Amino acid sequence: MQIHPTIAGLRAALADAGRVAFVPTMGNLHDGHIALMRQARSQADVVVASIFVNRLQFGPKEDFDKYPRTFENDCARLRDAGVDILFAPDEQEMYPTPQRYHVEPDTAHITILEGAVRPGHFGGVATVVLKLFNIVQPDVALFGKKDYQQLMVLRNMVRELALPIEVIPGETIRAGDGLALSSRNGYLSAAERAEAPRLYRQLERIRSRIVAGERDFLRLETEAVAELAAHGWQPDYIAIRRRADLQAAAGSDPLVVLGAARLGSTRLIDNLEI
Ligand code: AMP
């Protein structure tokens, strides 16, 4: 696996590449990331991964400084997964001057759910992903459904800006007890880790109730929030939405239920398609 810390080096390496699949990450790789790498491997001649902890998408009180950085381990895992090229720039390479040109996603997409709790987050994500797309110029890019709203925002960015890139979603990879794998799971204490699958179980419960014909979405959401709060969580939202744009569901729209809640000092998010 080639490792390129510079844009110039990466571009030279990709000069004669065939079909390129790209998987952007912030590192601290787990089996969810690796599943995306393997999916990418089946899509293209050359698989490019990136590792860059993007300051633009973190709020001032969020965990940018303590976000886990495990570069050597990550490289070993990427090699095992058959990744050809790792782009691993430092901040100076990505943001040699303060980034003053920003992508501003659709207000309707970034003022709800994660966007309501994390103002500026999706603008920061869209800006770095567009910049990474310009650097890598992939044919396909893969993103996890774990970050469902992110996937929706990036798909819309690609469509509205007519980027010649196919966005491919990857299924959420979970631990045996249902907890969605996440770099932030490492912040959990042993007791919190044992409690953490409750978020997934609440989403599962909502899914099975809807599949069984329940249509009172507000009641399902409210019950799940109360159940989490009763077990020491601080829920941000449990929301049953239509998949396409995460707005209120109507009629027979395909649905997704999304949840986010803080457990101790760790914020967990998850979702399930219904
Ligand atoms: P991150 O490093 O957290 O920015 O994530 C990089 C990519 O991996 C994103 O497209 C995420 O949606 C995806 N991802 C993170 N966790 C999982 C998971 N448990 N299953 C599948 N994809 C994931």
Side-chain angles (χ1 to χ4, degrees), residues 164-207:
I165 299 170
E166 183 189 353
V167 172
I168 300 180
E171 296 302 324
T172 300
I173 305 299
R174 302 178 179 283
D177 58 9
L179 177 65
L181 299 188
S182 164
S183 302
R184 292 190 168 101
N185 292 350
Y187 299 154
L188 298 168
S189 69
E192 289 166 346
R193 175 63 189 81
E195 172 63 21
R198 191 179 305 278
L199 176 59
Y200 168 72
R201 290 201 302 269
Q202 287 303 311
L203 302 181
E204 270 285 15
R205 178 172 180 275
I206 289 176
R207 175 163 70 177

Side-chain angles (χ1 to χ4, degrees), residues 84-234:
D84 300 296
I85 295 180
L86 170 61
F87 179 51
D90 63 12
E91 274 208 289
Q92 182 60 28
E93 183 70 8
M94 279 299 276
Y95 301 129
T97 57
Q99 185 76 24
R100 281 185 286 253
Y101 285 69
H102 286 259
V103 178
E104 184 66 26
D106 185 339
T107 308
H109 290 165
I110 61 168
T111 51
I112 56 169
L113 307 170
E114 285 303 284
V117 182
R118 307 182 69 187
H121 171 67
F122 288 115
V125 170
T127 300
V128 79
V129 169
L130 181 61
K131 192 159 182 171
L132 287 167
F133 282 175
N134 286 330
I135 293 166
V136 176
Q137 302 192 7
D139 297 283
V140 301
L142 294 95
F143 296 93
K145 288 188 187 177
K146 156 82 174 17
D147 299 287
Y148 209 87
Q149 191 173 1
Q150 168 175 286
L151 175 63
M152 189 264 293
V153 166
L154 295 175
R155 275 184 152 151
N156 279 283
M157 175 181 82
V158 163
R159 186 164 59 228
E160 289 208 5
L161 298 179
L163 304 181
I165 299 170
E166 183 189 353
V167 172
I168 300 180
E171 296 302 324
T172 300
I173 305 299
R174 302 178 179 283
D177 58 9
L179 177 65
L181 299 188
S182 164
S183 302
R184 292 190 168 101
N185 292 350
Y187 299 154
L188 298 168
S189 69
E192 289 166 346
R193 175 63 189 81
E195 172 63 21
R198 191 179 305 278
L199 176 59
Y200 168 72
R201 290 201 302 269
Q202 287 303 311
L203 302 181
E204 270 285 15
R205 178 172 180 275
I206 289 176
R207 175 163 70 177
S208 54
R209 295 274 299 275
I210 292 175
V211 168
E214 172 74 55
R215 274 292 170 269
D216 189 344
F217 292 169
L218 183 58
R219 177 172 142 193
L220 293 174
E221 293 165 355
T222 309
E223 283 174 1
V225 164
E227 182 69 15
L228 289 168
H231 288 85
W233 296 66
Q234 294 161 275

Side-chain angles (χ1 to χ4, degrees), residues 238-266:
I238 298 286
I240 301 158
R241 300 290 171 90
R242 62 179 182 214
R243 290 186 200 174
D245 55 7
L246 304 185
Q247 306 296 324
S252 59
D253 292 334
L255 301 175
V256 58
V257 54
L258 309 102
R262 206 171 285 277
L263 184 57
S265 55
T266 307

